[in-house]
Amino acid sequence: MSLNGYSKSLYMGPTPAGFVASAEYYDFAPGICICQQPCISEDQRKRTYAHVYENRLEVNAPLAPFCCLTTEMCMYDMVKVMYFDKPPARSGLFFCIPCTCFGPPVIYVNNPMFCCLSLKSCYGQQIMGAPCNCFDLKMFCCCGSPCYTNCAFPVIRSVANGEKFLSAMKFAVIAYGRRVDIPEPQMAIFQSVEDNIFDFGKSKGLQELKMARQ
């Protein structure tokens, strides 16, 4: 039986892929807020990770059915692998055509705020993905949070180094797109968003952080 042709996709290479960066977490991860910290065991923390490689994002948010009493042997790994030729790093498809009508996809770090007070120590930073940037429109014409936050979905929760992690991921995604010749408008842009009503949902672009291949 021949195995020729399997595991040969240009978009999934190289194998092995070089490591780029890891996310750092708050102590309550993979929970979503500090109230859940007593329920998280040290074994669950050790199995929680988010790694960027030169061709993909890999995330594990292990499930502990008995909370802090769960031994590592009884945990269920919830691993998700997202190659950069698929969402959220690339535009989705509409009838097999890349859907870029409303702008490129967005991957952003959400910084939770209450008025002018940061809530990162309570909720952490959230890495979010949105299918398009909606031409950078705001919810209330010229003010408010970016419109794309209404259709965003969580990618990684409770992160402590969101901007640095996404800057490294931006470097990997840009290099990947150039290597496999994916048009730039189809690849994600990277931003940082604050849900501070006094800053009208301020957003800013992230600079790519070049990382050496390991």
Side-chain angles (χ1 to χ4, degrees):
M1 180 175 62
S2 174
L3 297 179
N4 291 338
Y6 289 91
S7 304
K8 301 295 184 181
S9 172
L10 169 67
Y11 300 102
M12 299 179 75
T15 303
F19 173 81
V20 176
S22 283
E24 297 173 3
Y25 289 94
Y26 282 88
D27 287 341
F28 49 83
I32 61 174
C33 69
I34 197 171
C35 297
Q36 296 177 331
Q37 184 171 341
C39 301
I40 307 299
S41 69
E42 190 61 30
D43 286 338
Q44 191 174 11
R45 292 188 183 98
K46 290 177 180 178
R47 298 189 73 89
T48 300
Y49 67 83
H51 297 327
V52 171
Y53 296 90
E54 58 184 311
N55 62 353
R56 69 187 186 276
L57 171 65
E58 185 175 319
V59 182
N60 187 28
L63 177 64
F66 306 111
C67 298
C68 59
L69 301 179
T70 309
T71 63
E72 190 167 0
M73 182 177 64
C74 297
M75 291 180 186
Y76 295 91
D77 285 323
M78 308 290 285
V79 179
K80 188 172 184 180
V81 178
M82 293 158 274
Y83 283 92
F84 293 156
D85 68 320
K86 304 292 183 184
R90 186 183 183 184
S91 295
L93 301 178
F94 181 73
F95 289 102
C96 297
I97 299 174
C99 187
T100 57
C101 300
F102 299 100
V106 185
I107 301 176
Y108 68 96
V109 53
N110 183 63
N111 294 291
M113 305 281 289
F114 178 72
C115 295
C116 58
L117 300 177
S118 173
L119 298 179
K120 286 192 288 187
S121 61
C122 298
Y123 298 99
Q125 295 176 300
Q126 317 304 320
I127 305 297
M128 308 289 289
C132 61
N133 75 336
C134 300
F135 307 115
D136 287 325
L137 293 174
K138 302 288 187 177
M139 290 185 186
F140 308 107
C141 295
C142 60
C143 63
S145 296
C147 288
Y148 61 72
T149 59
N150 286 325
C151 56
F153 53 90
V155 179
I156 315 171
R157 300 180 185 273
S158 309
V159 175
N161 65 334
E163 284 85 0
K164 183 178 179 180
F165 179 76
L166 275 196
S167 293
M169 184 174 174
K170 178 179 180 179
F171 166 71
V173 168
I174 290 175
Y176 173 89
R178 291 171 179 169
R179 178 169 58 82
V180 300
D181 198 26
I182 296 177
E184 185 177 347
Q186 297 180 24
M187 302 303 291
I189 59 176
F190 294 80
Q191 295 189 333
S192 175
V193 175
E194 292 182 357
D195 53 4
N196 180 359
I197 59 173
F198 293 115
D199 278 338
F200 300 108
K202 181 175 64 177
S203 64
K204 63 179 181 180
L206 293 175
Q207 299 296 317
E208 58 182 287
L209 177 65
K210 296 184 178 181
M211 306 290 287
R213 175 173 174 163
Q214 300 181 20

